[in-house]
Structures are given as C-alpha cells and as structure tokens.
Amino acid sequence: MAARRISWLLSRSLSASFSHDLSCFSPGRNSGGWRNINRFSTAAAVEELITPQVQISYTHNLINGQFVDAASGKTFPTYDPRTGEVLAHVAESEAEDINRAVSAARKAFDEGPWPKMTAYERSRIMLRFADLVEKHNDELAALETWNNGKPYEQAAKTELPMFVRLFHYYAGWADKIHGLTVPADGNYHLQTLHEPIGVAGQIIPWNFPLLMFAWKVGPALACGNTIVLKTAEQTPLTALYVAKLFHEAGLPPGVLNIVNGYGPTAGAPLASHMDVDKLAFTGSTDTGKIVLELAARSNLKPVTLELGGKSPFIICEDADVDKAVEAAHFALFFNQGQCCCAGSRTFVHERIYDEFLEKSKKRALRRVVGDPFKKGVEQGPQIDVEQFEKVLRYIRSGIESNATLECGGGRLGSKGFFVEPTVFSNVQDNMLIAQDEIFGPVQSILKFKDINEVIRRANATRYGLAAGVFTKNVSTANTLMRALRAGTVWINCFDVFDAAIPFGGYKMSGIGREKGIYSLHNYLQVKAVVSPVNNPAWL
C-alpha cells in the first residue's frame, strides 16, 4: 500500500473550503514591545462551538477485561481544550492499580491463552478489532477531537484510517515472526527462537492518542506479549473506547490493561515495576530520562524511547518557493504544532529568503483557526492551559531576543487555548525559539548561505528526530540526507507516515524505532538453541 500521507493536500483542501477576512497590519521590527501585531478575524470560530454527538462511556481503568474504579476511589478531570471545561472524571491510578494491572498481565502471559495461541488466531483477533474500529470511525474521531482539540476532519479522514491500517499491518506480521537455522563450526545444530518478551509497560502521549496506541499496542500483541498501557492524563478517553472494542473482538482478559493517571503516581510505578519486562515511552526528553532511570534502577528492563525534536526543514535556493512555503507551513503548523517531528527550524537560502518569508507570512494569516468540529478549520486549540502558556512564553522570548514577529503572537478568542499562527523572521541559532521544542504553532525562519553551513547548523542540536529537505537537485538531496543526523529525512515532503516506515531518533530524540519490522524487535527475545548432531549426513 502506498504511504498514507498526513499531507499538504488535506491542509490545502481545508484552507480552500473556508474564507474569512483578515485584519492585516505591517509589523515593524520588535524590540521587546508589541507593535502593529497582526490580528486574526476568526475569533467567532472559537466562540461558537459545536457540541459533538458522542457519548463518553468509558472512564474507569480496564484491568483483566473489566472496567474498574481506582483502588483509592480517586478520579481526575479531563478537559475540552476548546473551552477549558471538564468533559469527564476519570479513574486516577496509583501504585496499587499498577500492581493489579501488572498482575493481570503477568497471569495472562504466564498462564493465559495469548502467547500460547496460534499466531494465526492472534492475527484474526487483531483484524476483527481493526474492522470494529473502522465501523466506529466517526464516534472515535469525535471523541479524539473533543478530548484533544485536533481538527475533526484530520482525525476522521487521516488518523483513524491510519490506525486501522497499522493494525492490519501488525496482524499480518503475527504469523511471520520466526527464527533462523544457523550454520556452526562442528557437529552441532543451531537454531534461533524469537520469543515474546513478556509483560510490556507502555506510556503514550497526548498529541496523537490513538496513533500512539497503535504504534505501541500493535507490535507488542503481534509478538505475543501482554500489556499495561498508561494513557496521557490529558487524553484518556479514546484508548479506553478502543480497548473495549478489542475485547469485543475476542481479546482474552488481562492481555491489554489500561490505566489512567499522572506521571509521578502512575507512570513512575509502571516504569519501576519489577514484574514489567519491557518499557516503551513516548513523550518529552526530560521525562524520558526519568523513565530510563527508573527502569534501570528496578529490574534493568529494556526501554524504547521516542522523545522530543527540533527538526530542521532546509529550503534550498533552487526550490519552487510556492510549494516549499506550503510544505514548510504544514511541517510546522500541523496538529497545532504539537508534533515531535515538526519542522520547527525553517532554514531558507538567502537568495530566496525574502520571497519565502513574505509568502509564509501570508499563508499563516490565511490559516483557519477555530472550533475543530467545524468544516474547513485547520487549527484547533492547544491541549491545555499549561501548554498554551508555555507557547506564549516562547513567543515572548522570541520578541525579547529581537527576532522579528511577522504575524500572530497572541491568544485567539476569549476562552479555550487557541494561539494565533505565529511567524518569526531574523531568527538566530542561539535564541530559545531556535533551540527548544516549543510544541506549538510558532514558525522560526532562519537564513543560510551554503550547504556546508546549513549542515553544520542543522546538526547543532541535542535532538535528531527528523529533518526535511526541499530541492530540485538530486545531488544536493543525496548530500543532505546522508549528512543530517536524524532518524527520518523527508525529501520534498514532510510528515509522510506509513505502517512500514520506521520512526525514531538520533541523539536525545530517543532509543529504538517504532513501526515497521524494527518495532517487532522491541518486543522479542532471541534465544539460541544448540544441540549435537551425531553422524551428520552433511553440515
């Protein structure tokens, strides 16, 4: 199947289907103050909200096939980021809940049918689950948007179909995992067995709740493991919904357990649990360090980490400027800028810098911000007040550092967590907005002179998750794709994802790879079996 793309085409179709007036001003160079900042006229779109027609039915922990209260009886609120209002109260897990979930997963692995089941039957259950998700596509997309704030059309038309595709992919792997027969010196028969690793602890983030569920759960189950998965406290609702569908598809109790709660009180007990055999985490680099330390201090369980990024997107002097502007815009602003691989350092060759900047500014001003349930909206709210305030702090930092604020820079509307699409020019490498992962709709545009310079500057970061290159020159593309220290390099595109494409980072962007055949390696043990061969016919 061709690579499914979270593509510019979606972005373009959304922007083309919605028109609005702009109140445009000509911002001057800012020196610590706010002068003539562009204001967007889409405020009405963030004030008049649609109530989605979906029920919130699952708010408990799922342990051993049953929805149960937290042991303490505690709950915590989960919010609608469009308004900041409470959507539901969810079971708040602590150490005792983690113990119960791990115990259920351990029993299901040691005694239950899942790892002993034929791989073909595991595959059939995963396929039935994918069919159920497809049947409930619209409900799940609505719930994802309501709890996360991403555009409904993005969730329904791109992310849910990709979720289904991922489980089809991993279901296809379930009965194709096998070892090797290896030649050895001497009269010995040597074979390798690929065995499930055991109980997998998994911690997923809030920016792509369903897709991260698929990235983690799919390969772990295909390999025959059992799971305890902790949702992000901001977005627990869709994982609980799809876990219920998994059991409808025939998943045995205890194989997939879902716990909700906060990092220090639920994530930490999971990471440090002595009966968890493997840990997978997606989130910030700082939290990833803590997860790795907890795993090492407990039973030295192996850990895969998919962490932060500050990805360069390099626009070469021969690029088609209009196409490059659209690509760079999408690379940064997609999913409200809440994407670990976002092209958040846009390097543009000096010969086309001015034209690129002017067109990027106009594109940002055309970006439709509003209620993500409304047709044509490209950008919804940030996930919560913490992330909202963090983004605004970085914008202030950019202004105070004497970067030029070309447009945006403030809040949109009077409620919820909407941020204006923001573009900075004259950004220097030593500025915080060029160094730190902002995780918001803030585009930093930097100027470069030649390829050697941009390679050096692009690699001068603690991150190495992804990079983008826009050029018509094959030689330039080949040079850059090999020189850039990143786990993924997109050439003349960005954010192209497919079930078979591995994803992960260099440096402090993580350890290991997700998706594709590489993800299976995370959830398997390799066992060598050696036996003597007497009077062999051949060796």
Side-chain angles (χ1 to χ4, degrees):
M1 181 177 179
R4 181 174 295 277
R5 213 170 84 165
I6 305 178
S7 68
W8 322 336
L9 297 178
L10 176 61
S11 178
R12 288 184 176 190
S13 66
L14 293 177
S15 61
S17 64
F18 191 97
S19 62
H20 58 283
D21 295 324
L22 294 171
S23 300
C24 298
F25 302 92
S26 298
R29 184 178 299 276
N30 291 279
S31 56
W34 295 65
R35 185 162 62 87
N36 297 331
I37 305 306
N38 288 295
R39 292 297 175 211
F40 297 71
S41 65
T42 53
V46 305
E47 301 293 344
E48 301 165 5
L49 302 177
I50 293 172
T51 301
Q53 300 303 304
V54 61
Q55 296 295 317
I56 299 174
S57 302
Y58 308 110
T59 58
H60 296 76
N61 290 331
L62 179 64
I63 298 177
N64 204 30
Q66 300 293 321
F67 283 108
V68 295
D69 290 329
S72 66
K74 291 181 182 178
T75 62
F76 66 93
T78 188
Y79 299 94
D80 179 350
R82 302 176 303 163
T83 62
E85 296 172 355
V86 175
L87 280 181
H89 288 86
V90 180
E92 182 180 342
S93 303
E94 295 177 339
E96 178 56 30
D97 304 284
I98 305 304
N99 288 337
R100 293 177 181 181
V102 172
S103 177
R106 173 54 61 194
K107 184 176 181 180
F109 184 79
D110 291 344
E111 304 174 18
W114 188 252
K116 300 176 183 178
M117 191 182 292
T118 67
Y120 175 61
E121 182 57 27
R122 289 203 304 270
S123 173
R124 292 182 64 193
I125 291 172
M126 294 174 73
L127 289 171
R128 287 198 295 268
F129 166 66
D131 290 344
L132 282 173
V133 170
E134 195 167 35
K135 180 180 177 182
H136 292 270
N137 183 94
D138 294 349
E139 299 158 65
L140 282 163
L143 196 58
E144 187 88 330
T145 293
W146 205 6
N147 202 191
N148 173 275
K150 66 178 68 228
Y152 174 79
E153 292 185 15
Q154 174 186 318
K157 296 179 181 180
T158 301
E159 294 186 17
L160 261 300
M162 189 180 294
F163 181 100
V164 172
R165 175 69 179 98
L166 283 158
F167 272 96
H168 283 161
Y169 176 84
Y170 290 122
W173 266 115
D175 60 355
K176 299 171 186 67
I177 297 169
H178 54 76
L180 302 170
T181 301
V182 184
D185 293 340
N187 294 347
Y188 296 97
H189 173 75
L190 171 60
Q191 68 184 89
T192 61
L193 302 177
H194 291 183
E195 299 179 342
I197 200 166
V199 175
Q202 302 179 329
I203 302 173
I204 61 174
W206 48 259
N207 55 337
F208 295 97
L210 281 173
L211 287 179
M212 295 301 100
F213 178 101
W215 285 22
K216 296 287 190 295
V217 171
L221 291 186
C223 293
N225 299 281
T226 59
I227 298 168
V228 177
L229 181 143
K230 191 195 93 66
T231 62
E233 60 267 27
Q234 297 89 342
T235 55
L237 300 179
T238 48
L240 295 169
Y241 192 121
V242 294
K244 179 65 166 62
L245 295 180
F246 228 141
H247 285 83
E248 288 182 22
L251 190 72
V255 174
L256 173 62
N257 305 275
I258 309 291
V259 292
N260 312 290
Y262 298 101
T265 50
L270 181 60
S272 58
H273 204 288
M274 294 296 291
D275 216 16
V276 170
D277 301 305
K278 153 74 187 164
L279 196 64
F281 170 81
T282 296
S284 72
T285 295
D286 287 343
T287 305
K289 292 179 182 179
I290 297 171
V291 167
L292 189 60
E293 181 180 3
L294 291 172
R297 286 186 173 183
S298 53
N299 58 347
L300 207 62
K301 60 180 72 65
V303 181
T304 49
L305 301 171
E306 196 263 284
L307 306 176
K310 193 67 177 175
S311 301
F313 195 0
I314 299 170
I315 314 298
C316 299
E317 62 180 310
D318 65 343
D320 181 315
V321 173
D322 290 332
K323 291 181 179 179
V325 164
E326 190 64 33
H329 178 87
F330 179 74
L332 186 282
F333 290 101
F334 171 64
N335 206 52
Q336 294 69 252
Q338 297 172 156
C339 190
C340 55
C341 58
S344 53
R345 290 183 295 152
T346 308
F347 288 96
V348 182
H349 194 277
E350 61 182 6
R351 291 181 184 172
I352 60 171
Y353 184 88
D354 292 341
E355 179 186 1
F356 182 94
L357 174 61
E358 187 61 28
K359 290 181 175 179
S360 293
K361 173 184 170 181
K362 289 179 179 178
R363 177 64 182 91
L365 288 168
R366 291 197 308 272
R367 187 167 185 79
V368 184
V369 185
D371 182 354
F373 283 104
K374 292 186 177 180
K375 184 176 177 60
V377 165
E378 296 174 277
Q379 180 178 316
Q382 308 308 121
I383 185 66
D384 59 16
V385 66
E386 181 180 353
Q387 187 64 24
F388 171 78
E389 291 177 349
K390 173 188 172 185
V391 172
L392 294 180
R393 285 196 302 273
Y394 274 110
I395 291 172
R396 289 194 294 272
S397 169
I399 294 169
E400 291 164 1
S401 299
N402 290 322
T404 301
L405 181 62
E406 297 288 345
C407 66
R411 178 178 192 162
L412 189 60
S414 61
K415 60 183 178 181
F417 310 123
F418 296 86
V419 176
E420 294 174 332
T422 299
V423 176
F424 279 105
S425 65
N426 296 312
V427 177
Q428 306 302 313
D429 294 340
N430 61 352
M431 295 178 180
L432 287 181
I433 59 171
Q435 294 182 346
D436 291 358
E437 186 178 36
I438 299 173
F439 230 60
V442 182
Q443 185 177 30
S444 297
I445 304 181
L446 305 91
K447 186 183 295 185
F448 76 92
K449 293 182 179 181
D450 60 60
I451 192 169
N452 290 326
E453 173 204 337
V454 79
I455 289 170
R456 175 182 55 78
R457 293 170 63 194
N459 286 334
T461 172
R462 60 188 178 276
Y463 298 115
L465 190 56
V469 174
F470 219 87
T471 181
K472 296 176 184 176
N473 188 304
V474 173
S475 179
T476 299
N478 284 336
T479 296
L480 287 169
M481 76 177 185
R482 292 180 180 275
L484 293 170
R485 302 273 300 158
T488 300
V489 179
W490 285 293
I491 308 294
N492 295 330
C493 59
F494 209 89
D495 279 344
V496 177
F497 291 101
D498 182 85
I501 301 174
F503 187 80
Y506 285 29
K507 298 186 281 188
M508 293 181 72
S509 285
I511 300 171
R513 294 295 180 268
E514 304 208 65
K515 299 193 291 115
I517 189 173
Y518 297 92
S519 64
L520 302 175
H521 301 169
N522 301 330
Y523 295 100
L524 292 168
Q525 294 276 26
V526 178
K527 179 184 289 181
V529 180
V530 184
S531 57
V533 179
N534 297 319
N535 301 315
W538 54 272
L539 281 174

